[in-house]
Amino acid sequence: PAAACCAAGESAAKSAEVAGRTSASEASMASRLEKLRAELEALPGMSRARVGIALLVDGRDELLVGDGPDYPLLSVVKLPLAMAVLDRLEREGRSLDEQVVFTKGDLDPETWSPMRDAYPEGSSSLTLRDLLLYALQQSDNNATDLLFDRLVSPRGVMSYLQGLGLTEQVIAHTEREMGEDPRRCLVNSMSPRCAVRLLERVMNGSVLGASSRAFLLEALEGCQTGQNRIAAGLKGVPGEGMGHKTGTGPLLPGRGLVGHNDVAFVRLSNAHYYVLAVFVTDSQMSPTETEALIASISACVARSLSEL
């Protein structure tokens, strides 16, 4: 009995020690994030636009600045679209290597489309994998609209997100529809918090199958757009890699720049990772200045978390 009491006492002591370390760690992180918040809010340019920032560290510690549900989503919509497409392919037992036939008439001649430039008369050789890579890595609007038309409509993407329990988003228009009336860019919207929660689902493996997640993360790592945004803020920070999806909107009278967005995952060399979304709307700055603000936000976050 004495030995049992001793063992129980040691176990209780160890549990208390672990709880104490956990509590101290949580307090330290909370203090770090509050200091980071103050740094972010003081950055030059924050007063010249509406800026929404959401940060999720290791899937649990959250920081929000200026968060709200009505930030224009722009081409960040291609991330949930890709997830909804991959989910449908999995459910129906279909392959990414399935070919997609399209003609010149299926292509918008005015929109941003490296795919159209490469295949101006259409193609019968490209696959769903190719379309997703064009959409995610080069933000190709024609590839995106083919996916909207052939696989998952805007309403279908909205239903997919709602099925994940996400509520702070509106997905209503295709790229062609937004091109026809730029004011529709204001309708497709999402909160920065929703964006990081969505990408975190991919990081922690709670959505999609392993092969689909691996494809999606690798595609985001190869994103070629918006290199002056979150990616620019990571220079000099020890890291194991990052992937992201950007969105860029037009200049609307009375609104300034509709949006410069970036949502990214970053793996640091200290074994920590984070998901960061920066959505900037109604910017009274130039595109270059707006991108520089996003890079500064990214640099502040990276410096702080690399010290963990």
Side-chain angles (χ1 to χ4, degrees):
C5 287
C6 182
E10 290 176 354
S11 177
K14 289 180 180 178
S15 296
E17 181 183 354
V18 170
R21 287 200 302 267
T22 301
S23 178
S25 176
E26 290 174 350
S28 175
M29 177 59 79
S31 175
R32 180 179 296 277
L33 292 182
E34 281 307 306
K35 180 181 178 182
L36 176 58
R37 176 195 301 278
E39 292 177 1
L40 296 175
E41 292 176 339
L43 284 173
M46 289 290 283
S47 62
R48 299 179 63 195
R50 189 159 69 93
V51 184
I53 305 169
L55 172 67
L56 197 58
V57 185
D58 294 330
R60 61 178 183 271
D61 297 296
E62 186 175 66
L63 172 65
L64 302 175
V65 176
D67 189 53
D70 59 341
Y71 284 88
L73 192 56
L74 307 168
S75 284
V76 176
V77 74
K78 292 160 185 172
L79 172 60
L81 168 61
M83 295 174 65
V85 167
L86 291 168
D87 177 73
R88 177 174 178 178
L89 295 181
E90 287 183 352
R91 288 186 288 104
E92 296 181 356
R94 296 165 64 182
S95 170
L96 279 170
D97 296 320
E98 181 179 314
Q99 290 184 318
V100 181
V101 177
F102 61 94
T103 67
K104 181 177 181 179
D106 294 316
L107 304 176
D108 184 341
E110 302 297 329
T111 195
W112 168 256
S113 182
M115 183 188 74
R116 180 202 58 232
D117 296 342
Y119 302 92
E121 301 302 319
S123 172
S124 60
S125 62
L126 292 183
T127 65
L128 291 173
R129 182 190 307 274
D130 295 323
L131 263 59
L132 285 166
L133 290 176
Y134 267 117
L136 292 169
Q137 296 186 334
Q138 299 188 58
S139 214
D140 192 294
N141 291 334
N142 276 315
T144 299
D145 278 347
L146 284 171
L147 293 168
F148 271 137
D149 181 62
R150 309 288 177 84
L151 272 297
V152 185
S153 68
R155 179 177 294 182
V157 176
M158 186 71 168
S159 296
Y160 172 75
L161 294 174
Q162 291 171 334
L164 297 179
L166 299 173
T167 59
E168 296 179 339
Q169 72 278 327
V170 175
I171 312 295
H173 294 298
T174 65
E175 293 289 352
R176 185 185 290 269
E177 289 169 346
M178 288 187 285
E180 292 170 347
D181 182 354
R183 291 172 297 179
R184 290 172 177 161
C185 292
L186 304 174
V187 178
N188 281 9
S189 57
M190 182 177 282
S191 71
R193 183 176 187 267
C194 182
V196 297
R197 292 283 172 176
L198 178 63
L199 187 49
E200 171 62 24
R201 299 287 186 92
V202 183
M203 297 294 289
N204 67 27
S206 62
V207 296
L208 303 174
S211 62
S212 292
R213 290 197 307 274
F215 166 78
L216 181 56
L217 292 174
E218 185 176 354
L220 295 175
E221 288 170 355
C223 179
Q224 300 172 28
T225 61
Q227 295 302 303
N228 292 324
R229 302 180 193 182
I230 289 178
L234 301 177
K235 294 177 181 177
V237 176
E240 299 296 331
M242 67 89 70
H244 64 132
K245 183 69 197 80
T246 60
T248 304
L251 180 66
L252 288 182
R255 293 291 302 257
L257 291 174
V258 166
H260 268 50
N261 300 338
D262 206 354
V263 56
F265 65 87
V266 179
R267 296 188 180 98
L268 299 170
S269 296
N270 59 10
H272 293 278
Y273 78 92
Y274 61 90
V275 180
L276 173 66
V278 184
F279 290 176
V280 183
T281 189
D282 299 339
S283 176
Q284 302 306 307
M285 298 176 284
S286 69
T288 299
E289 291 172 320
T290 304
E291 288 193 317
L293 174 60
I294 297 174
S296 295
I297 291 168
S298 173
C300 286
V301 171
R303 283 196 301 269
S304 176
L305 299 181
S306 66
E307 297 170 356
L308 289 173

